[in-house]
C-alpha cells in the first residue's frame, strides 16, 4: 500500500504487517518518495513505485530499495512522477507532471522525452498502456 505521507506498507497474505518502508530516502531501506502514489510489479520482479520525488524499486523479499541514484532517472528526484508502464524488461515509460512522458531504456540508461514540442498533446499523462503490437496509448 502506498500511503499519502508515511511511505509504503507491506502486508502478508493474512493482512499482517511485514514491512513499513519509510519515506526518508537516506538508506537502501527507505524510499525517496515523499508521497508514493503508484505501485506496480515490474518485469524484473521488483515492486516499482512512483510519486512526488521520483521513482524507485523495491526487492520483494529483502525490501532493499533502489532509488536510482546515479542514473538518468535521478533527474526526477524533485519531480512528481505519475504513472509508468513497461513495454519490455528493458523499456519503461514514465509520465512526469508538467514535463511530458519519458521512454527510459533501462539497459543503456537513456531517456527519450515526449512533449507538446514533438507530438504529445499535453505536458502530463494520467494513464499509459501498451497494446500487443507495441503501440503506447497515452
Amino acid at each position: 500500500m502506498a500511503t499519502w505521507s508515511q511511505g509504503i506498507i507491506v502486508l502478508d497474505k493474512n493482512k499482517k504487517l511485514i514491512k513499513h518502508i519509510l519515506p526518508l530516502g537516506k538508506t537502501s531501506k527507505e524510499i525517496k518518495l515523499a508521497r508514493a502514489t503508484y505501485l506496480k510489479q515490474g518485469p524484473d520482479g521488483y515492486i516499482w513505485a512512483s510519486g512526488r520525488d521520483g521513482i524507485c524499486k523495491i526487492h520483494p523479499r529483502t525490501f532493499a530499495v533502489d532509488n536510482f541514484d546515479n542514473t538518468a532517472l535521478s533527474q526526477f528526484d524533485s519531480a512528481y512522477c505519475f504513472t509508468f508502464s513497461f513495454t519490455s524488461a528493458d523499456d519503461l515509460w514514465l509520465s512526469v507532471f508538467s514535463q511530458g512522458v519519458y521512454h527510459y531504456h533501462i539497459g543503456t540508461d537513456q531517456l527519450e522525452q515526449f512533449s507538446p514540442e514533438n507530438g504529445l498533446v499535453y505536458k502530463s499523462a494520467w494513464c499509459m498502456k501498451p497494446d500487443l503490437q507495441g503501440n503506447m496509448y497515452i
Side-chain angles (χ1 to χ4, degrees):
M1 282 184 273
T3 67
W4 190 248
S5 63
Q6 297 301 309
I8 295 174
I9 305 296
V10 183
L11 303 177
D12 68 11
K13 63 183 176 182
N14 298 313
K15 300 178 188 88
K16 290 191 175 218
L17 176 69
I18 56 173
K19 188 69 176 173
H20 180 189
I21 304 170
L22 298 171
L24 304 173
K26 296 178 182 172
T27 73
S28 64
K29 297 177 193 259
E30 302 164 339
I31 60 172
K32 66 181 174 185
L33 309 176
R35 183 167 293 134
T37 55
Y38 190 71
L39 298 170
K40 183 177 195 167
Q41 187 167 22
D44 57 1
Y46 282 73
I47 303 301
W48 290 64
S50 65
R52 195 176 93 202
D53 297 333
I55 187 166
C56 64
K57 69 179 182 177
I58 304 162
H59 191 282
R61 287 190 194 90
T62 65
F63 306 109
V65 177
D66 181 352
N67 283 308
F68 298 110
D69 297 330
N70 305 312
T71 72
L73 293 176
S74 67
Q75 79 180 49
F76 305 119
D77 283 358
S78 60
Y80 191 171
C81 296
F82 283 139
T83 187
F84 55 87
S85 185
F86 293 93
T87 54
S88 75
D90 197 45
D91 294 289
L92 169 71
W93 290 78
L94 177 65
S95 174
V96 181
F97 180 72
S98 293
Q99 293 185 32
V101 171
Y102 291 81
H103 180 203
Y104 179 62
H105 302 273
I106 296 169
T108 62
D109 192 37
Q110 298 295 309
L111 278 170
E112 179 181 12
Q113 182 183 22
F114 296 88
S115 66
E117 290 74 34
N118 66 353
L120 201 63
V121 295
Y122 187 64
K123 291 196 269 181
S124 299
W126 300 105
C127 183
M128 298 180 295
K129 184 72 174 166
D131 67 15
L132 296 176
Q133 289 75 40
N135 301 311
M136 179 58 73
Y137 289 74
I138 299 174

